[in-house]
Amino acid sequence: RCSSRRPTEVLLAKGVPSTVAKVESRADMASWMPDGQPDFHFKVESTPKFSVLSFDANAKPPKEDKGAAAKGGKGAAKGGAKGAKPNASSAANGPAAEGEEDKGRKRVNVLLKNELQVQAKWAEDGTFESNPLYNDDGSPKPKFMVTFPYPYMNGRLHLGHAFSLTKAEFAAGFKRMKGYNVLFPFGFHCTGMPIQAAANKLKAEIVKFGNPPNFPVAEEAAAKKGDKGKGKSAKGKVAQKSSGVSYQWQTLGLMGIPESEISEFAEPEKWLDYFPPFGSSDLKSFGACIDWRRSFITTSRNPYYNKFIEWQFRRLRANDKIYFGKRPGIYSPLDGQTCADHDRAEGEGVAPQEYTLIKLRVQSPFPPALAALEGQDVFLTPATLRPETMYGQTNCFVLPEGDYGAFKWANGEIYVMSARSAKGLSFQSYQNVDFATTWGQTECLLTCKGTDLLGVALNAPRAPYPTVYTLPLDSISMGKGTGVVTSVPSDAPDDFIALRHIQGKADYYQKTYGITPEMHQPFDVVDIINITVAAKDGEEAWSSDRCAEYWSEKLKIKNPGDRKNLDEAKKKTYNAGFSFGKMLVGPYKGEKVSIAKPKEKQDMIDEGTALIYFEPEEFVKSRSGEECVVAMTDQWYLKYGDEEWKNRVTDHVNNPDTFTPYSQEILDKFNQTLGWLKEWACSRLFGLGTQLPWDDKWVIESLSDSTIYMAYYTIAALLQGPDNLCGDNPSPCGVTAEQLNDEVFDYIFMGRNLDFATDIPTAVLDQLKGEFEYWYPMDLRVSGKDLIGNHLTMSLYNHAAIWDQRPDLWPRGFYTNGFVNINNQKMSKSTGNFLMLEEAKNLYSADATRFALADAGDTLLDANFEREVADKACNNLFNDIQFVEEMLEAKAAGKLRTGDKLLTEQNLENEMNKLILDTEGHFTGMMWRDGLKTGYNLFHGLKAFYVDWAEKMDTLMHEDVIMRWLECSILMIAPICPHYAEVAWGMLGNEGSAVKAAWPTPSETVDAKASRAFNFLTKTVKNLRALASKDKTKNPTKAHIYIANGYSPWKIQTLEFLQTLWDDATGKMPEKKAFLPLVTAWLNADPELKKLKKNIMQFAAFMAAEADEIGKDALEVELPYDQKAVLQESQIYIAKALITNKTMEVLIYNLDEADIPGPATKKDKAEPSKPTLFLE
């Protein structure tokens, strides 16, 4: 990835498929360098497996007289390539000889080599090929089926795919080690418009610019840069990089596709054949534990999957879940069809939003700009979400510089609005009557600016004023609504402040816009809705008949530019108005706004003063590059939102016995989606996919064919088998796609009796049926959070529809995560902050990449992949292998002791047991980052302490302790770094695969007292070392350590109070927001304690944190271990640990002993578990 700002390295695998050139020399690089010639900006360094290509935009040309190579930049990667500086000789003369290895790449290359060997062994052994397993009595053995949404195959997999995928990958690895028979299948999605749109775009480029194309804009961009003499191959890159114009040809070229092959991608089938195999190879080299026999692509290109989707849709129709009708949907005028989420370049998840278009009749005489329309029914048409507030209209706003048009409609009326909104309205209808004379076409009679409309007299329906006027408002967006805004200052803070601003600056508005005082001064706020809100969650109660005025004054808003406070006021008034408002006027006076609103809207529509209008909630752009509208189209729809259907799904996800959402936040988002998701247009007129079986002019869209395909995974290994993504090869079980009819699928998936004729052998049918019944239901599905609003909820709906009589077959758990950033910056190809999966693996190794992804985060918040973490992981994994070697050598040489274990070693083993349980708990809850902390970071901290402790104690490490540490550390990291685990596991002499070994179990019950004693030792040494570093004593030789066995009275009182706050259910103290007020109220009730408020608050906060870390025992007023005994056993260790390269004489005292030397100021600071230090 080349950047103009910083040097970059690219690793090119040797012996890779022919689609990627093997770089052997600078001359060989010429065919794919920007200008077709070897360039001094590029350098190559060779290793046995990879060539490292460095690019430095700031490099200077070589001096011809010396033939020296240009200076290269440092590698973009640190860790794996840390210290990998370009080698001048290799840059100038080609790569180093085979077998010669750059020192900076040694560690990552060792890991990559190991990974290749491990992957080959997995493939040979079929390690991840999963088949049903049964006990001797015929009962099924415990199974775990996890899936991940198949990625779309219009390119290679990147780090964003990998981040979400690893959640499934880690879960599969962990469950396998917990004794489950695990299935992790993986498919590739090709349905929908993205591939079709890209192929069409490429085809158009070839027609327009030739093959290979000569993009004319490239010449202009090059000329602007003063770039002369470039060859044709440079033009495309210049155009895209410099002018901002993006061509599909160039996009494919940047993917590494040879120019001679790019034109073939003008046919969609090429994409289906080309990218899925790369997806498979990328994941294999990443170490994914996938059963590849079950992989497939979608669309009619795969006849087996095509049959499955046809069956699914016939079942949905038979169950009355699908119907035909006219409904609003996001629509691409250019494509001529509905534009679903996966068909969009921007705006995934955006749905139609319903507005009420209010007709404000233009009064005669018309203004000059509209004079040609005099005598006709002309209306300014603001779009509102609050039709019930029209009783409070005082004026209308337009954007002075906005462009407006007068558009005529089928009913003969003329609406003044923006061209954009008129276009949208032209695709809409009401009660099957189109608004436009010709559907999708507008009839514009004239255009004008907003200034031409200022001061226009209007008749506003429902308003108490017979005439209102058009006033200017600079904050109107022409990209939302109609560009016309009706003003209700009683309930809209923006309207209230804008009107007051105009009234307060009458002279300015008259001079600037010709707005006379009578157009705004007589208009006062109209009381239309009362809002009364009770106090809640620390917010005070409030009530007002003029909520906009109330909050504007409360927040001291003075002008329309106070955006922050206006947004806050809007939030307060709009939410409260719907939930707590009551009508003060109109036929529905006294009713709640939430009840009156739809009635008022319908009344206005029926009387002809309003109409329904739809827009996308946010900007949506199709993959064809056009802004989408909302259109009323004839479509096949799935009845999402049907009350009975929705209730069954809602009950399922909210029942902890049937569904695991892994967090309340995830569950809340599912409930929200179930609340708003309604009819879904499930078919398209063109695109890739499966044709609707009863109406073949329609193609099933990409989200609708992706809801229950997890069931197909269970039989895919038998129907398609390995290396048969498209289903072209003979079926392993001898079944052809033509033999798969509804009766066969009903037998396999629905439990139908064998009461139909088929030429498929009964044994084969039973085998297929057995696979499904063993693996289903799906136990876990992992996805990014963005799919909650569509795919995941649709999957729940469709499972409930297909298996309406078998809720036990519905999904058992969904886990979702946020998006991933790189180094705290959004992933972006345009900025270069982007990593393809294969690229990341080559930079850091698969295991180090997996480690950094596990560390990135687990919640719905966006996570962060840190390159530095990947670098360190690479180094650590390399060092871990070396440590295994060292310990095996020490064992063979008799340099590990046996026999009795010292107290510290016993406590260390106890701490190992605790971390094993902690890690298991984190992994069970899908908290991989927390598990990495306990199972790797803290567990390795134990090893580091033990090595250091044994060395300073002048004792050998105990063989049982260190060998158990090795075994447990390897097994706990296995789900995340399986290649390293396999290598290390084999080094220990174990038979079989580490990824199939049993998860470690505690050697004994965890002793909380022993755990506290061990942590006391490690923390005390750390604290005493810090005290020693700050001590001013010159050349000290003695260290006096003071131990306190009891707390002061006020601390005892505090601890006893904190014990009452402990929550046994959560195993935690209250959260800080609740904790601090509780402590404050407690101590304020005691005058004596109140005098010590500052000290008590600090002590309470510290002890609460201790309790959260180690448990309720931290709040005991007496310690459960002998502090002096713990320290005395490690006295030699402490003597050497206090000051670097110096051994001290250590003296340890209990403060209740007599005649203790040293100053009182040092002794008095000692507290239980916090000894103090005096040096002399």
Side-chain angles (χ1 to χ4, degrees):
R1 303 194 58 78
C2 300
S3 167
S4 61
R5 294 186 178 179
R6 62 180 180 272
T8 306
E9 287 185 353
V10 181
L11 303 181
L12 302 168
K14 292 187 176 181
V16 297
S18 59
T19 51
V20 181
K22 179 179 179 183
V23 181
E24 294 294 353
S25 69
R26 287 173 55 78
D28 288 343
M29 293 162 58
S31 63
W32 50 276
M33 280 186 173
D35 58 0
Q37 297 297 323
D39 191 310
F40 62 85
H41 293 91
F42 291 80
K43 298 178 184 179
V44 180
E45 300 165 73
S46 183
T47 72
K49 294 292 179 184
F50 301 92
S51 289
V52 183
L53 173 67
S54 298
F55 172 85
D56 186 356
N58 299 317
K60 297 189 185 239
K63 295 181 181 179
E64 295 182 2
D65 56 332
K66 293 184 178 179
K71 292 183 179 180
K74 294 179 183 177
K78 297 180 182 177
K82 196 165 189 175
K85 297 181 180 179
N87 181 293
S89 61
S90 65
N93 305 317
E98 191 72 24
E100 194 176 309
E101 186 173 64
D102 182 275
K103 292 180 180 179
R105 288 290 300 174
K106 178 180 178 181
R107 295 188 170 195
V108 71
N109 285 338
V110 167
L111 297 182
L112 288 168
K113 179 181 178 181
N114 289 342
E115 289 170 358
L116 287 173
Q117 294 173 347
V118 168
Q119 290 160 14
K121 179 65 173 172
W122 285 340
E124 180 183 350
D125 295 345
T127 301
F128 304 123
E129 294 179 2
S130 303
N131 299 303
L133 296 176
Y134 300 91
N135 297 308
D136 293 339
D137 63 359
S139 60
K141 289 189 174 182
K143 62 86 183 179
F144 183 78
M145 180 181 179
V146 57
T147 65
F148 174 80
Y150 39 31
Y152 202 79
M153 286 291 99
N154 57 348
R156 298 283 292 270
L157 300 179
H158 54 69
L159 203 67
H161 293 114
F163 173 64
S164 294
L165 177 141
T166 53
K167 310 302 183 184
E169 169 74 11
F170 299 156
F174 173 64
K175 287 291 187 178
R176 185 178 293 108
M177 297 181 72
K178 289 295 295 179
Y180 289 85
N181 185 19
V182 173
L183 173 61
F184 182 19
F186 202 89
F188 301 100
H189 201 197
C190 303
T191 304
M193 281 298 297
I195 289 175
Q196 182 75 64
N200 291 348
K201 186 178 180 183
L202 180 64
K203 188 177 296 184
E205 289 172 8
I206 292 173
V207 170
K208 187 172 183 179
F209 301 115
N211 183 12
N214 183 9
F215 299 117
V217 70
E219 296 171 3
E220 299 172 17
K224 288 180 182 178
K225 284 182 162 282
D227 193 355
K228 300 177 181 179
K230 293 277 187 179
K232 283 186 179 181
S233 61
K235 290 181 179 178
K237 292 187 186 233
V238 172
Q240 189 169 26
K241 196 170 183 180
S242 303
S243 68
V245 177
S246 176
Y247 293 103
Q248 189 64 50
W249 183 284
Q250 295 162 340
T251 300
L252 292 168
L254 291 172
M255 293 180 185
I257 298 171
E259 189 174 74
S260 59
E261 194 175 353
I262 290 178
S263 61
E264 298 175 26
F265 287 82
E267 298 301 326
E269 291 76 12
K270 176 66 176 181
W271 300 69
L272 275 58
D273 292 331
Y274 187 85
F275 284 113
F278 274 111
S280 176
S281 63
D282 286 350
L283 290 173
K284 287 177 180 178
S285 67
F286 189 57
C289 58
I290 292 168
D291 184 348
W292 290 107
R293 302 172 305 160
R294 301 175 187 269
S295 296
F296 56 86
I297 68 165
T298 65
T299 76
S300 56
R301 176 73 173 77
N302 180 351
Y304 291 98
Y305 187 77
N306 197 60
K307 286 284 189 178
F308 172 77
I309 297 301
E310 289 179 346
W311 166 79
Q312 173 193 346
F313 268 74
R314 278 191 288 262
R315 290 288 307 179
L316 288 170
R317 194 182 188 200
N319 288 348
D320 195 30
K321 302 302 182 189
I322 189 169
Y323 70 106
F324 191 79
K326 193 182 287 286
R327 288 291 185 276
I330 307 297
Y331 183 85
S332 169
L334 182 62
D335 294 335
Q337 64 177 0
T338 303
C339 185
D341 279 2
H342 288 180
D343 302 329
R344 302 174 189 174
E346 293 182 46
E348 185 170 347
V350 174
Q353 185 169 48
E354 180 184 303
Y355 292 85
T356 304
L357 218 60
I358 308 298
K359 299 180 184 179
L360 307 183
R361 180 181 291 274
V362 178
Q363 295 183 5
S364 185
F366 285 10
L370 303 178
L373 306 176
E374 186 78 53
Q376 301 186 63
D377 293 326
V378 181
F379 303 88
L380 266 66
T381 50
T384 181
L385 296 170
R386 305 195 64 192
E388 78 283 2
T389 67
M390 294 303 99
Y391 293 99
Q393 294 178 91
T394 59
N395 61 279
C396 169
F397 290 118
V398 295
L399 181 68
E401 296 304 314
D403 293 314
Y404 296 86
F407 297 89
K408 190 169 185 178
W409 302 94
N411 61 1
E413 295 178 343
I414 299 169
Y415 303 153
V416 178
M417 59 204 312
S418 67
R420 173 190 159 279
S421 58
K423 178 180 179 181
L425 187 62
S426 72
F427 287 96
Q428 298 172 24
S429 61
Y430 180 68
Q431 295 183 341
N432 291 321
V433 177
D434 294 337
F435 292 129
T437 303
T438 302
W439 189 82
Q441 295 184 20
T442 60
E443 183 181 354
C444 184
L445 304 181
L446 58 82
T447 60
C448 61
K449 300 293 284 188
T451 50
D452 299 323
L453 301 173
L454 295 177
V456 172
L458 305 166
N459 173 258
R462 297 286 199 274
Y465 300 105
T467 301
V468 299
Y469 295 91
T470 305
L471 304 179
L473 185 63
D474 290 331
S475 61
I476 291 175
S477 169
M478 299 301 287
K480 192 73 172 173
T482 64
V484 181
V485 178
T486 188
S487 174
V488 183
S490 59
D491 285 70
D494 282 280
D495 296 349
F496 175 79
I497 293 299
L499 180 59
R500 284 291 186 263
H501 191 263
I502 292 172
Q503 291 172 337
K505 296 191 177 228
D507 290 344
Y508 168 79
Y509 280 93
Q510 183 167 2
K511 180 179 179 180
T512 306
Y513 297 111
I515 300 297
T516 59
E518 61 268 19
M519 295 177 181
H520 54 79
Q521 291 295 348
F523 298 88
D524 195 9
V525 175
V526 182
D527 300 345
I528 59 172
I529 294 172
N530 171 266
I531 301 176
T532 299
V533 180
K536 184 180 179 182
D537 296 333
E539 295 191 4
E540 63 182 23
W542 65 278
S543 179
S544 178
D545 294 344
R546 301 180 175 189
C547 62
E549 182 175 0
Y550 173 86
W551 279 104
S552 295
E553 292 178 353
K554 189 174 182 65
L555 296 174
K556 298 180 172 59
I557 305 172
K558 302 298 183 183
N559 62 76
D562 189 356
R563 203 60 260 159
K564 179 180 178 182
N565 283 320
L566 277 170
D567 288 342
E568 178 65 16
K570 182 177 180 180
K571 177 181 176 182
K572 296 285 188 183
T573 56
Y574 280 33
N575 292 343
F578 184 80
S579 301
F580 306 109
K582 284 189 177 181
M583 299 297 296
L584 299 175
V585 295
Y588 308 109
K589 179 179 178 180
E591 289 191 6
K592 293 183 65 175
V593 167
S594 57
I595 296 173
K597 178 177 181 174
K599 297 178 182 179
E600 286 286 359
K601 178 185 70 174
Q602 193 59 50
D603 287 350
M604 295 181 73
I605 292 172
D606 292 344
E607 67 190 31
T609 58
L611 62 149
I612 297 296
Y613 167 66
F614 290 91
E615 280 192 1
E617 294 169 319
E618 298 174 15
F619 178 79
V620 177
K621 184 170 75 172
S622 72
R623 292 188 181 270
S624 300
E626 182 187 40
E627 181 179 1
C628 291
V629 300
V630 174
M632 301 290 288
T633 57
D634 287 328
Q635 256 290 1
W636 288 99
Y637 288 87
L638 284 160
K639 293 183 180 179
Y640 298 143
D642 172 81
E643 202 65 23
E644 182 182 359
W645 195 8
K646 179 182 74 174
N647 289 341
R648 294 196 73 191
V649 174
T650 301
D651 290 344
H652 175 72
V653 299
N654 286 282
N655 184 347
D657 294 330
T658 61
F659 186 79
T660 303
Y662 290 92
S663 80
Q664 185 61 43
E665 190 177 4
I666 294 174
L667 180 59
D668 290 345
K669 288 190 176 295
F670 275 109
N671 282 319
Q672 290 168 11
T673 302
L674 287 165
W676 62 257
L677 184 61
K678 304 299 180 185
E679 297 102 332
W680 184 266
C682 59
S683 58
R684 302 289 176 266
L685 290 173
F686 64 93
L688 303 180
T690 297
Q691 290 177 302
L692 206 58
W694 61 87
D695 192 350
D696 61 9
K697 74 177 181 180
W698 297 96
V699 177
I700 298 169
E701 63 91 25
S702 61
L703 280 166
S704 298
D705 82 338
S706 310
T707 56
I708 65 163
Y709 70 90
M710 312 85 183
Y712 183 76
Y713 279 134
T714 65
I715 62 173
L718 295 175
L719 289 183
Q720 293 186 225
D723 302 320
N724 192 21
L725 293 174
C726 298
D728 296 331
N729 301 330
S731 167
C733 68
V735 174
T736 65
E738 291 72 21
Q739 292 175 291
L740 296 173
N741 54 34
D742 287 0
E743 289 84 1
V744 170
F745 281 125
D746 284 348
Y747 183 82
I748 296 170
F749 295 121
M750 307 301 298
R752 175 175 177 164
N753 293 325
L754 192 56
D755 56 1
F756 56 91
T758 177
D759 52 0
I760 301 175
T762 302
V764 173
L765 288 174
D766 288 342
Q767 188 179 9
L768 292 165
K769 181 178 182 180
E771 285 273 349
F772 171 72
E773 291 184 344
Y774 178 85
W775 290 115
Y776 239 57
M778 172 177 57
D779 298 284
L780 173 65
R781 187 158 182 81
V782 171
S783 166
K785 62 184 178 182
D786 54 313
L787 295 190
I788 294 177
N790 43 56
H791 161 72
L792 293 176
T793 304
M794 293 176 184
S795 178
L796 290 166
Y797 264 119
N798 278 263
H799 276 85
I802 298 295
W803 290 281
D804 54 333
Q805 303 302 312
R806 292 286 307 276
D808 58 305
L809 295 178
W810 301 359
R812 307 294 292 178
F814 284 169
Y815 174 91
T816 59
N817 50 259
F819 305 121
V820 66
N821 297 326
I822 298 179
N823 286 358
N824 284 313
Q825 297 294 321
K826 183 179 179 180
M827 284 182 62
S828 170
K829 292 181 180 178
S830 62
T831 64
N833 193 47
F834 197 84
L835 279 172
M836 303 304 293
L837 177 55
E838 182 73 1
E839 181 184 7
K841 185 266 295 185
N842 289 338
L843 283 171
Y844 306 112
S845 79
D847 277 350
T849 302
R850 292 165 64 111
F851 187 104
L853 288 169
D855 182 73
D858 298 302
T859 68
L860 289 178
L861 297 175
D862 288 351
N864 183 41
F865 177 91
E866 296 185 54
R867 289 177 179 269
E868 184 177 359
V869 171
D871 293 334
K872 290 180 178 178
C874 179
N875 291 333
N876 289 341
L877 293 171
F878 180 85
N879 292 336
D880 290 343
I881 293 174
Q882 289 192 319
F883 185 74
V884 175
E885 292 176 347
E886 291 169 5
M887 291 302 99
L888 292 175
E889 291 172 0
K891 179 181 178 181
K895 294 182 179 180
L896 300 176
R897 74 176 207 281
T898 56
D900 294 338
K901 300 170 187 173
L902 297 173
L903 176 61
T904 297
E905 290 172 324
Q906 296 173 35
N907 290 345
L908 187 143
E909 284 192 310
N910 181 75
E911 200 65 14
M912 288 166 54
N913 290 334
K914 179 178 181 298
L915 290 176
I916 289 170
L917 292 178
D918 289 346
T919 304
E920 181 176 335
H922 294 318
F923 282 6
T924 299
M926 300 286 288
M927 302 303 288
W928 307 108
R929 183 176 189 174
D930 292 344
L932 198 62
K933 177 182 177 181
T934 55
Y936 188 86
N937 296 338
L938 295 182
F939 208 77
H940 275 65
L942 294 181
K943 181 257 290 183
F945 168 81
Y946 188 38
V947 171
D948 184 54
W949 179 86
E951 179 181 352
K952 287 182 168 62
M953 290 287 290
D954 294 324
T955 183
L956 298 176
M957 288 187 287
H958 197 288
E959 180 178 315
D960 292 346
V961 175
I962 197 62
M963 296 310 293
R964 174 162 170 77
W965 182 91
L966 284 174
E967 180 177 303
C968 293
S969 68
I970 292 166
L971 293 176
M972 284 196 293
I973 199 63
I976 294 173
C977 302
H979 307 91
Y980 157 76
E982 292 283 24
V983 172
W985 190 247
M987 292 170 66
L988 293 184
N990 293 294
E991 296 292 331
S993 171
V995 298
K996 287 193 170 183
W999 181 261
T1001 56
S1003 55
E1004 294 181 0
T1005 302
V1006 174
D1007 185 339
K1009 296 179 181 179
S1011 181
R1012 291 189 66 186
F1014 180 79
N1015 281 288
F1016 165 70
L1017 173 62
T1018 57
K1019 288 185 177 181
T1020 296
V1021 172
K1022 180 180 178 181
N1023 292 338
L1024 294 179
R1025 186 183 291 124
L1027 291 173
S1029 68
K1030 298 176 182 178
D1031 197 283
K1032 304 299 183 182
T1033 305
K1034 293 184 178 181
N1035 300 316
T1037 58
K1038 288 185 179 181
H1040 301 272
I1041 300 175
Y1042 305 116
I1043 296 172
N1045 290 317
Y1047 289 103
S1048 60
W1050 67 265
K1051 289 184 177 179
I1052 292 175
Q1053 286 181 267
T1054 304
L1055 288 170
E1056 289 173 344
F1057 171 71
L1058 293 181
Q1059 291 173 20
T1060 68
L1061 301 182
W1062 178 263
D1063 188 337
D1064 289 324
T1066 62
K1068 295 286 183 182
M1069 296 293 289
E1071 292 186 6
K1072 186 176 181 180
K1073 184 178 180 181
F1075 173 76
L1076 294 179
L1078 290 171
V1079 177
T1080 301
W1082 167 72
L1083 65 87
N1084 284 342
D1086 188 323
E1088 294 301 317
L1089 292 177
K1090 191 173 181 180
K1091 296 176 184 178
L1092 301 169
K1093 183 174 182 178
K1094 182 178 179 180
N1095 291 336
I1096 289 176
M1097 294 299 293
Q1098 291 177 344
F1099 177 71
F1102 174 80
M1103 295 309 300
E1106 285 279 298
D1108 282 337
E1109 181 179 349
I1110 65 177
K1112 187 177 180 181
D1113 289 344
L1115 304 177
E1116 296 294 332
V1117 296
E1118 293 184 4
L1119 297 180
Y1121 54 88
D1122 186 331
Q1123 298 175 82
K1124 188 171 183 179
V1126 171
L1127 297 184
Q1128 281 182 329
E1129 186 192 61
S1130 297
Q1131 198 162 343
I1132 298 173
Y1133 168 64
I1134 297 171
K1136 296 179 180 179
L1138 287 178
I1139 299 177
T1140 305
N1141 298 325
K1142 187 168 187 176
T1143 301
M1144 305 286 291
E1145 179 184 354
V1146 173
L1147 303 169
I1148 304 172
Y1149 310 96
N1150 275 325
L1151 288 179
D1152 51 11
E1153 298 172 0
D1155 301 326
I1156 300 174
T1161 54
K1162 298 287 187 180
K1163 302 173 191 175
D1164 291 345
K1165 292 181 180 179
E1167 293 181 355
S1169 77
K1170 293 183 69 177
T1172 55
L1173 177 70
F1174 168 56
L1175 298 179
E1176 66 171 347

